[in-house]
Amino acid sequence: MITLGKRRYVRSRPHPQRKTRIVEEATELLKKYQYVFLFDLHGLSSRILNEYRYRLRRYGEVKVIKPTLFKIAFAKAFGGVPAEVAERVRGEVAFFFTNVNPAEVVKIVAENSVRRAAQPGDKAPFDIVVPAGPTNASPGPIISKFGKLKIPTRVQEGKIWIAKDTVVAKAGQEITAEIAEVLRVVGIEPVFEQLRLLGVIWRGSRYVDISELVIDVGRYRELFEAAAVYARNLALNIVYPTREVLQVVIPAAHMRAVALAAKLGVVTRETLPILLSRAVAEANALAAAVAPKAPELGLSVQQAAPQQQAAPQAEAPKEAQEEKREGPSEEDVAGSLASLF
């Protein structure tokens, strides 16, 4: 019994030198750089691509390589092509080889957006204003399009002049064919275009989608601020000895120590004003209680000035203020009278 197997293609002619050179170059780039970004080539003009080649030359190398050749080079560099990488490397894609942190690359690409002329269907990124002044356009059918957009014009020195600044598109508004042509005539390029990054091949081992690399700076700032507040509160609660914590806890401890010393009657420079104020308050309270009962003693109560009276009350501890508010008891009055004789 004869079993027929599948026919296997065997190349009889050598590979073209150009393709061999591309594969060898790609293999060297894969060994040289840790990260390979994929970006979409569909609809990307050669001017934008060349501009990014120039702007990103400090960070790596931008290369347009056919997916099939890239996979061959990848297999030569790393011994095989992971399934997720093989699935992504297809269609109209190009590559950016770099050793810069991938999250930083996303930021760099966004900051190096390239201006281009508006096309019908684009969204206005901001209010687009046609400024007053001369244009390089000669009078002709274009004047009717200026009029359709309500842009006041006049002919001067053989050129079309804009009479005053005019807003032709609001932010977010779709740009029509008339607006695009007028902007082209006056030389305004309002659209910023950047490489449409798809993802990054991470050190030849895995593929990371670009959505995982986009960092919301504002959100991270809020998280760091909240973490700083929580850390400060925790440090205050456990009295962790740092400069920020000690600046708070030492004054608070000093206040509590002064209040405790005043309550115990310990005479210091800080407690003496409080003790004197409390003694004066107690003496006045005693005199006020004794004077009606023993007029022959000739006791009189001295009232302190409002400002002088308010200050000691603010500094005196809570217990002293409660004692002053409640007044002396009958036992205190009896004991004070006994000490007079």
Side-chain angles (χ1 to χ4, degrees):
M1 182 176 178
I2 300 175
T3 304
L4 300 177
K6 293 183 179 180
R7 296 181 61 185
R8 183 178 180 183
Y9 172 77
V10 179
R11 187 180 183 89
S12 59
R13 293 181 299 175
H15 294 281
Q17 292 184 357
R18 182 180 61 85
K19 291 185 178 180
T20 303
R21 186 175 64 255
I22 292 174
V23 170
E24 292 176 353
E25 182 183 359
T27 304
E28 293 300 321
L29 290 173
L30 286 168
K31 293 179 179 179
K32 179 180 178 182
Y33 295 101
Q34 301 183 67
Y35 311 108
V36 183
F37 277 86
L38 277 68
F39 61 91
D40 189 5
L41 274 180
H42 182 72
L44 186 68
S45 66
S46 59
R47 185 179 75 86
I48 302 297
L49 180 60
N50 291 332
E51 186 68 26
Y52 264 104
R53 272 200 178 106
Y54 175 77
R55 297 187 181 188
L56 298 179
R57 69 190 187 283
R58 295 182 299 167
Y59 309 105
E61 300 182 45
V62 175
K63 295 291 182 180
V64 178
I65 306 172
K66 288 187 177 181
T68 304
L69 298 180
F70 179 85
K71 292 176 185 177
I72 294 174
F74 197 96
K76 291 182 65 176
F78 301 107
V81 183
E84 57 179 349
V85 174
E87 182 182 354
R88 299 289 183 173
V89 181
R90 61 181 181 179
E92 297 181 75
V93 296
F95 308 92
F96 174 51
F97 299 83
T98 182
N99 284 323
V100 180
N101 185 287
E104 189 68 20
V105 170
V106 175
K107 183 180 177 182
I108 292 171
V109 169
E111 291 175 347
N112 285 275
S113 300
V114 181
R115 275 184 177 270
R116 67 165 174 82
Q119 299 175 357
D122 287 337
K123 299 292 184 180
F126 46 80
D127 291 351
I128 303 176
V129 179
V130 175
T135 69
N136 292 323
S138 301
I142 191 66
I143 292 181
S144 62
K145 296 185 178 180
F146 279 100
K148 187 175 181 181
L149 297 176
K150 299 180 180 180
I151 303 175
T153 60
R154 70 176 185 272
V155 178
Q156 183 177 336
E157 301 175 357
K159 300 293 182 181
I160 298 176
W161 284 59
I162 309 297
K164 67 175 183 179
D165 294 351
T166 306
V167 177
V168 296
K170 293 285 188 180
Q173 177 183 340
E174 184 175 335
I175 296 176
T176 62
E178 291 82 6
I179 296 175
E181 185 171 359
V182 168
L183 294 176
R184 179 183 58 78
V185 169
V186 298
I188 295 177
E189 296 182 336
V191 179
F192 291 88
E193 187 170 349
Q194 66 184 51
L195 295 183
R196 297 184 294 275
L197 299 176
L198 303 174
V200 59
I201 301 174
W202 199 284
R203 297 177 179 175
S205 59
R206 62 192 181 97
Y207 179 86
V208 179
D209 192 82
I210 198 64
S211 60
E212 300 181 28
L213 300 175
V214 178
I215 298 176
D216 186 350
V217 178
R219 175 58 179 163
Y220 276 94
R221 182 181 293 109
E222 293 176 359
L223 292 174
F224 275 111
E225 291 175 351
V229 172
Y230 295 147
R232 182 177 183 274
N233 291 339
L234 175 61
L236 287 173
N237 289 331
I238 65 175
V239 195
Y240 190 77
T242 64
R243 182 179 63 182
E244 294 79 1
V245 173
L246 295 179
Q247 289 176 348
V248 176
V249 299
I250 289 180
H254 179 264
M255 292 177 61
R256 289 194 294 268
V258 171
L260 177 61
K263 183 177 180 181
L264 298 176
V266 178
V267 179
T268 65
R269 183 178 61 183
E270 291 84 358
T271 61
L272 185 59
I274 299 174
L275 295 174
L276 291 176
S277 299
R278 186 169 64 187
V280 170
E282 292 176 352
N284 287 336
L286 177 60
V290 172
K293 299 179 180 180
E296 65 277 6
L297 297 177
L299 298 176
S300 61
V301 180
Q302 296 180 355
Q303 297 294 335
Q307 295 181 351
Q308 297 176 351
Q309 196 171 10
Q313 290 179 356
E315 297 179 358
K318 183 177 179 181
E319 292 80 5
Q321 295 181 14
E322 292 178 353
E323 291 176 9
K324 177 182 177 182
R325 185 167 55 251
E326 295 175 358
S329 61
E330 293 294 336
E331 292 79 2
D332 294 336
V333 174
S336 300
L337 288 174
S339 63
L340 294 176
F341 301 99

